Amino acid sequence: MNFIKKLINPPIEPFVFKIYIYWVLITITAFLFFSQNISNTSNILILSILSFGFFILRFLRGDIKFPSKFGYIFLAFIIFCIISLFFTINFYTSILYFLYYLSGFFILILSFDILSDIKTVRWFFGILLFIASVFTLYSIYNYIIGYDVRLTGTLLSPDIAAGFLLFIIPISLYFTIAYKSTFSRLMSIFLSILFITALYITFSRGAYISFLIEMIIMLIVLYKYFFKKKLQYIILILITILFSFSLSLLHSSVSNRISLSHISSVTSGTVQSLSVNDRLDVYEKSIELTFVKPIFGFGIGTFGEVFLKYQNRPWVYFKYTHNQYLEMFVEGGIIGGGIFLLFFSYLFLKGIIDIYRKRGDKYRERVPKYLLYIFVFASLSGTMSHSMIDYDWYSITIFFLLMVFIGIYLNNFKDLGFILKKYISFSLLIISFVMILLSLDFFYAENLMSVGIAQYNKGNLIEAKYQFKNSLKFNPYNSLPYVWLASIYKDNRLYKKSLSNLSYAKSIDPYNADILYRIGSIYTYEGKNMEALKYYSKAYNFNHYSNPKYVLSLAETYGMLKNTKEAIKLYKLAIHKYFPLNNTYKSYQEFYKLNGFDLNLGYIYTNLYILTHNIKYKKEASKLVIPIKTFVIKKK
């Protein structure tokens, strides 16, 4: 009974501090297993309100300990986010991302203030390892049964799963040293092997390199404090072997990524790794975009929209840059990107200098405490390096952990702490309150949207229309209600009203390929094929990476306009792009069906036969058991 009480009771007083720690663990668990979508307004709003609430509680209780230099840099970033709201291209998105970063700021301060005792931190990490082990076992099980081709679990992507494991592995390795009992050490070793195995089967090349950085930091520290000088060469050889092994894994993962994620890698018409050439392409484009609006940028959280507008390769679309620092320069300009980069660069350099300075016998007495902070720094180094080639900080779990770990780690520097000024706390509370009130309208609008969509799916079009119109009253910046209203009018064959709503949606979101495609489809229904061709072409040029319907709609329209040459060219492109291996077309058919894409290989071959009269296309079509529809060449 005492053991269970000890297990669930954090060694900290007062009670409000315990509640904060419970909340942190529950929030990590909830977002880890149930919801990862940052674009979901309710997720951001819940996180903001709760972190805001805990900050109020801590403010009312008394003085708050504040990490002076780091805190002021992050505070400068928060102030910049407020100023940038006046320059953003999408006010709605930027407010949500501002709340996201503001929540992170509160979490960092509270973690620095509350999770400062070594016993409490170790208790916290113990529970975190348990949560991580459940996630990892579930993820490995999904991988073994073939549900995931790369370990993903409940997260958005394998790269985000790898980002989560990069936080956890150094902590599990720390406990292999910190625990004194044999059983506890063996359990920690088992968990470390489990987490490293899981990291490997994410096949995330960036994570392998980040893990190598973590290992080098940990080995350097262990060498200083636990090994004799005669083992110096052994340690150096071990690091060299580890580095060579990681390169071999990197090479192996390239071929694995090509074979395992074939569907996502055929978007340029050939079989190649999407995340190599195309990421370099998006990095180059991001650097160009930084100088389009160099001072304040395009607005926090708007990169996806900006990329659609300025990208020059229509088969490539990225919502995120896959480099957090570069993305912040695009969204926040030189000022916002500079402050953001300064914060994390200073954190990394401060940690490296700390490792160098704290050497010698006088620190041996503090080894347990000092090592804990160094292993936390290893976790932070891993995620900071991984963020240079991925977007895992847009996962709420990863971002939440990042802020908690930074708050814990800053307690390693005694010279940083001081009491937060009352006027700063009060100003932050007022700003948070105003922003949350603003976002409540967006939250209510999103709920009305959800109700409207549910009613639309049930066939209650009048009720759905009412909900969508109400949603626009609370958030006029959202194009989706207009899109759904257009669908209702289209179902009732009120094409002019449908076009009117789609035009409003286009004015809000002018580079949205789906809206352009829908406008084209209305013109198709009206028999205005030249107008339809114009909008299908725009949709295709903006983004036919994510949905093959943009290619097929264009091919169909060319067919209707008797432009046989262009129609044949696009149908062939569709075959090579979306069905690169004929002997596996059924699995691709299933993939696109699961993702809501109406793509039929038999349909494509049949239309090619009609256009070319080539018997080989007829034979290919006849092999397929999939029902074949033809309507491309039919006359009006």
Side-chain angles (χ1 to χ4, degrees):
M1 197 68 183
N2 273 342
F3 173 75
I4 295 173
K5 189 178 177 183
K6 224 174 170 185
L7 190 66
I8 64 172
N9 187 29
I12 191 171
E13 294 294 342
F15 183 69
V16 69
F17 288 7
K18 291 185 181 185
I19 295 296
Y20 172 75
I21 295 171
Y22 287 136
W23 171 68
V24 168
L25 291 168
I26 291 168
T27 303
I28 290 169
T29 307
F31 283 124
L32 182 62
F33 287 99
F34 303 111
S35 182
Q36 280 292 312
N37 190 4
I38 186 179
S39 60
N40 187 324
T41 307
S42 57
N43 284 347
I44 297 177
L45 193 60
I46 289 167
L47 184 66
S48 303
I49 290 172
L50 289 172
S51 58
F52 174 64
F54 275 103
F55 190 78
I56 289 176
L57 287 174
R58 184 65 190 88
F59 174 72
L60 294 175
R61 178 165 182 81
D63 294 333
I64 302 174
K65 193 171 68 168
F66 185 74
S68 56
K69 296 175 185 175
F70 291 98
Y72 278 131
I73 296 172
F74 208 129
L75 185 60
F77 178 71
I78 295 297
I79 293 168
F80 167 80
C81 288
I82 296 170
I83 296 169
S84 71
L85 291 175
F86 296 98
F87 302 93
T88 181
I89 63 170
N90 189 322
F91 186 72
Y92 167 66
T93 301
S94 292
I95 275 194
L96 288 181
Y97 276 81
F98 167 72
L99 286 174
Y100 187 61
Y101 288 118
L102 184 63
S103 300
F105 181 61
F106 286 147
I107 293 160
L108 189 155
I109 293 173
L110 290 167
S111 298
F112 176 74
D113 182 58
I114 294 171
L115 290 167
S116 56
D117 179 65
I118 191 76
K119 288 182 181 178
T120 308
V121 174
R122 285 182 61 170
W123 179 92
F124 172 79
F125 283 146
I127 302 297
L128 184 61
L129 283 184
F130 172 75
I131 295 167
S133 62
V134 174
F135 164 78
T136 305
L137 288 169
Y138 171 77
S139 303
I140 289 175
Y141 170 76
N142 280 345
Y143 175 78
I144 290 170
I145 64 174
Y147 185 80
D148 294 327
V149 292
R150 296 168 59 195
L151 184 134
T152 305
T154 54
L155 297 174
L156 289 172
S157 77
D159 295 315
I160 292 177
F164 174 72
L165 291 166
L166 287 171
F167 273 107
I168 301 301
I169 292 171
I171 303 306
S172 64
L173 290 172
Y174 164 75
F175 280 116
T176 62
I177 299 167
Y179 279 131
K180 293 183 179 178
S181 74
T182 305
F183 174 78
S184 298
R185 283 192 172 185
L186 288 174
M187 183 57 70
S188 299
I189 290 169
F190 167 75
L191 288 177
S192 300
I193 293 169
L194 182 74
F195 297 141
I196 292 170
T197 303
L199 182 71
Y200 172 71
I201 57 179
T202 62
F203 299 105
S204 174
R205 294 156 294 183
Y208 294 158
I209 296 171
S210 301
F211 177 61
L212 172 66
I213 292 169
E214 290 183 343
M215 287 299 295
I216 289 174
I217 289 171
M218 289 184 284
L219 284 171
I220 288 171
V221 174
L222 290 174
Y223 164 70
K224 281 186 176 182
Y225 292 97
F226 285 89
F227 297 106
K228 297 178 181 177
K229 277 195 174 181
K230 65 182 181 181
L231 292 178
Q232 179 177 0
Y233 294 107
I234 297 174
I235 298 301
L236 291 174
I237 291 168
L238 180 61
I239 291 174
T240 306
I241 291 171
L242 181 64
F243 182 72
S244 305
F245 182 59
S246 73
L247 290 180
S248 70
L249 286 179
L250 184 64
H251 174 73
S252 172
S253 76
V254 171
S255 19
N256 281 332
R257 288 283 296 279
I258 290 174
S259 60
L260 291 172
S261 56
H262 190 77
I263 293 167
S264 65
S265 64
V266 298
T267 54
S268 60
T270 57
V271 179
Q272 62 177 328
S273 174
L274 175 68
S275 56
V276 177
N277 294 332
D278 290 337
R279 283 194 195 185
L280 291 175
D281 214 44
V282 79
Y283 292 163
E284 183 182 347
K285 178 55 67 177
S286 298
I287 293 169
E288 288 178 26
L289 291 174
T290 301
F291 295 99
V292 175
K293 293 184 74 175
I295 307 300
F296 293 102
F298 291 90
I300 307 300
T302 60
F303 178 81
E305 296 172 56
V306 174
F307 186 78
L308 273 178
K309 179 180 178 181
Y310 289 94
Q311 55 90 13
N312 51 13
R313 291 178 64 193
W315 56 85
V316 180
Y317 170 64
F318 283 89
K319 186 177 181 181
Y320 307 115
T321 320
H322 288 255
N323 184 315
Q324 302 280 171
Y325 312 102
L326 190 55
E327 183 161 331
M328 190 53 67
F329 274 99
V330 175
E331 296 178 351
I334 294 170
I335 299 174
I339 297 170
F340 191 79
L341 183 62
L342 174 64
F343 178 84
F344 288 101
S345 302
Y346 184 40
L347 180 66
F348 182 76
L349 290 173
K350 183 83 172 170
I352 294 296
I353 292 168
D354 184 61
I355 291 174
Y356 174 75
R357 283 180 178 171
K358 291 182 178 176
R359 63 192 191 277
D361 292 337
K362 68 175 182 177
Y363 285 99
R364 291 186 184 275
E365 296 174 2
R366 295 176 50 203
V367 159
K369 181 178 179 181
Y370 175 59
L371 272 185
L372 174 62
Y373 288 125
I374 291 302
F375 277 71
V376 172
F377 175 70
S379 291
L380 290 172
S381 300
T383 193
M384 283 190 284
S385 58
H386 195 232
S387 67
M388 296 179 72
I389 43 182
D390 248 305
Y391 60 94
D392 38 345
W393 289 356
Y394 287 124
S395 157
I396 292 182
T397 298
I398 306 297
F399 182 71
F400 197 92
L401 275 174
L402 174 68
M403 294 297 108
V404 172
F405 271 58
I406 292 174
I408 290 171
Y409 178 64
L410 293 182
N411 279 289
N412 186 37
F413 308 109
K414 286 188 174 180
D415 58 313
L416 287 178
F418 84 110
I419 302 304
L420 185 62
K421 307 292 184 188
K422 294 287 184 184
Y423 71 89
I424 296 178
S425 299
F426 192 66
S427 301
L428 283 170
L429 291 174
I430 291 174
I431 291 167
S432 305
F433 183 70
V434 170
M435 291 300 176
I436 289 172
L437 280 181
L438 278 174
S439 63
L440 281 174
D441 278 352
F442 299 147
F443 176 65
Y444 187 56
E446 190 174 271
N447 280 345
L448 291 172
M449 269 285 298
S450 301
V451 173
I453 292 169
Q455 292 299 321
Y456 180 87
N457 291 332
K458 289 176 183 178
N460 301 331
L461 299 186
I462 295 174
E463 180 61 26
K465 185 165 73 169
Y466 174 77
Q467 297 295 342
F468 293 139
K469 285 185 174 180
N470 275 345
S471 176
L472 287 169
K473 290 177 184 177
F474 290 96
N475 181 12
Y477 303 103
N478 193 357
S479 62
L480 285 178
Y482 288 114
V483 172
W484 282 99
L485 284 168
S487 296
I488 292 172
Y489 290 126
K490 180 183 171 184
D491 292 344
N492 292 318
R493 299 186 180 182
L494 299 169
Y495 298 132
K496 285 187 178 178
K497 285 191 174 183
S498 183
L499 273 175
S500 175
N501 278 276
L502 286 171
S503 297
Y504 278 120
K506 180 175 171 288
S507 67
I508 295 169
D509 199 356
Y511 309 107
N512 188 313
D514 185 61
I515 293 172
L516 295 167
Y517 167 80
R518 286 171 184 268
I519 293 173
S521 71
I522 297 295
Y523 283 122
T524 299
Y525 275 97
E526 291 185 325
K528 298 176 180 177
N529 292 325
M530 285 304 295
E531 286 296 318
L533 182 68
K534 179 174 132 184
Y535 283 96
Y536 286 146
S537 297
K538 285 182 179 179
Y540 174 80
N541 288 328
F542 277 134
N543 177 22
H544 65 253
Y545 159 68
S546 64
N547 200 323
K549 70 183 180 185
Y550 303 136
V551 182
L552 295 183
S553 61
L554 200 54
E556 290 166 6
T557 308
Y558 275 121
M560 292 177 188
L561 292 167
K562 306 299 183 182
N563 190 335
T564 307
K565 185 179 177 181
E566 284 299 321
I568 291 170
K569 177 182 170 184
L570 287 164
Y571 279 125
K572 285 182 177 179
L573 174 67
I575 290 173
H576 292 300
K577 184 181 288 293
Y578 302 108
F579 294 95
L581 299 175
N582 287 339
N583 61 339
T584 60
Y585 65 83
K586 286 184 182 178
S587 62
Y588 287 101
Q589 185 78 30
E590 185 181 354
F591 171 81
Y592 288 115
K593 187 177 178 183
L594 286 171
N595 286 274
F597 300 158
D598 182 18
L599 187 66
N600 191 314
L601 187 58
Y603 158 72
I604 295 171
Y605 276 127
T606 301
N607 285 331
L608 274 171
Y609 169 66
I610 293 169
L611 290 165
T612 63
H613 303 292
N614 190 325
I615 198 70
K616 76 174 182 179
Y617 294 126
K618 186 177 181 181
K619 287 179 180 178
E620 288 294 335
S622 65
K623 291 177 187 177
L624 304 173
V625 295
I626 306 163
I628 297 173
K629 300 182 296 180
T630 57
F631 58 90
V632 171
I633 312 301
K634 68 182 181 182
K635 295 180 182 178
K636 287 172 60 178

